[in-house]
Amino acid sequence: MQQKIIPNLWFDTEAEEAVAFYLSVFPNSRIRKVSHYGEGGPRPAGMVMTVEFELDGQRFVGINGGPEFTFDEAVSFQISCENQEEVDHYWDRLSDGGEEGPCGWLKDRFGLSWQVVPTAFEELLADPDPARAQRAMQAMFSMTKLDIAALRSAADGVPVT
């Protein structure tokens, strides 16, 4: 099925560098198409204008649009992780050169915000026992990178250290 909504990521001049970085982080990723500015455009002729790419099957476009716009936390991409190994992989790779934030959030080296969330945490929040869900939520507030074992312990009433 054709993806109807394709996120566009605005960069100053770093679209190719960012796409190469993201392709190194996410499996099953590829560049689909690269376009260049022509004569008389707002950027130098021959400069990369857009890079269409896929990250694990999700389509994106990176555009070298200029310095007018930058990323902020109002928009982020959530990565659902099946286990701690996946959490560690995405957290370590995406935060390298970026900035770690609270509760599983980080900014990568390009300023793009990501949420690295284990599916186990989502399950804990949906626990039929509201006290377990609340304890997991409280534990999450004390973390940067989410730790599945610590979240489960907290849900079970064991304090996070």
Side-chain angles (χ1 to χ4, degrees):
M1 183 173 168
Q2 180 75 10
Q3 183 176 315
K4 290 191 177 284
I5 300 171
I6 302 169
N8 280 261
L9 306 176
W10 183 289
F11 299 92
D12 180 4
T13 60
E14 307 87 3
E16 286 177 295
E17 179 185 350
V19 169
F21 173 66
Y22 299 140
L23 267 58
S24 77
V25 173
F26 292 90
N28 307 313
S29 300
R30 67 187 177 113
I31 292 175
R32 295 172 57 99
K33 184 170 97 177
V34 177
S35 67
H36 297 83
Y37 283 99
E39 296 294 331
R43 308 299 299 261
M47 178 183 186
V48 168
M49 182 172 66
T50 63
V51 181
E52 296 180 31
F53 62 105
E54 290 179 8
L55 300 179
D56 206 10
Q58 170 73 41
R59 289 181 59 199
F60 293 85
V61 173
I63 182 169
N64 283 325
E68 296 85 6
F69 304 110
T70 58
F71 298 119
D72 68 28
E73 295 83 358
V75 173
S76 66
F77 294 105
Q78 181 175 323
I79 306 167
S80 294
C81 300
E82 294 300 318
N83 54 49
Q84 191 66 46
E85 181 181 3
E86 247 191 324
V87 169
D88 294 346
H89 166 78
Y90 289 115
W91 185 269
D92 295 344
R93 292 297 309 279
L94 290 169
S95 66
D96 183 25
E99 180 182 328
E100 295 182 357
C103 308
W105 290 67
L106 64 86
K107 282 186 187 180
D108 67 27
R109 64 181 74 165
F110 303 100
L112 189 59
S113 293
W114 300 85
Q115 297 172 289
V116 183
V117 182
T119 55
F121 179 65
E122 295 168 359
E123 292 164 7
L124 288 169
L125 290 182
D127 194 291
D129 178 351
R132 287 190 88 241
Q134 182 61 32
R135 288 190 298 267
M137 175 74 76
Q138 286 303 118
M140 182 263 311
F141 288 136
S142 70
M143 298 178 182
T144 52
K145 176 174 68 173
L146 300 186
D147 180 314
I148 297 170
L151 290 166
R152 286 186 175 137
S153 291
D156 292 338
V158 178
V160 176
T161 57

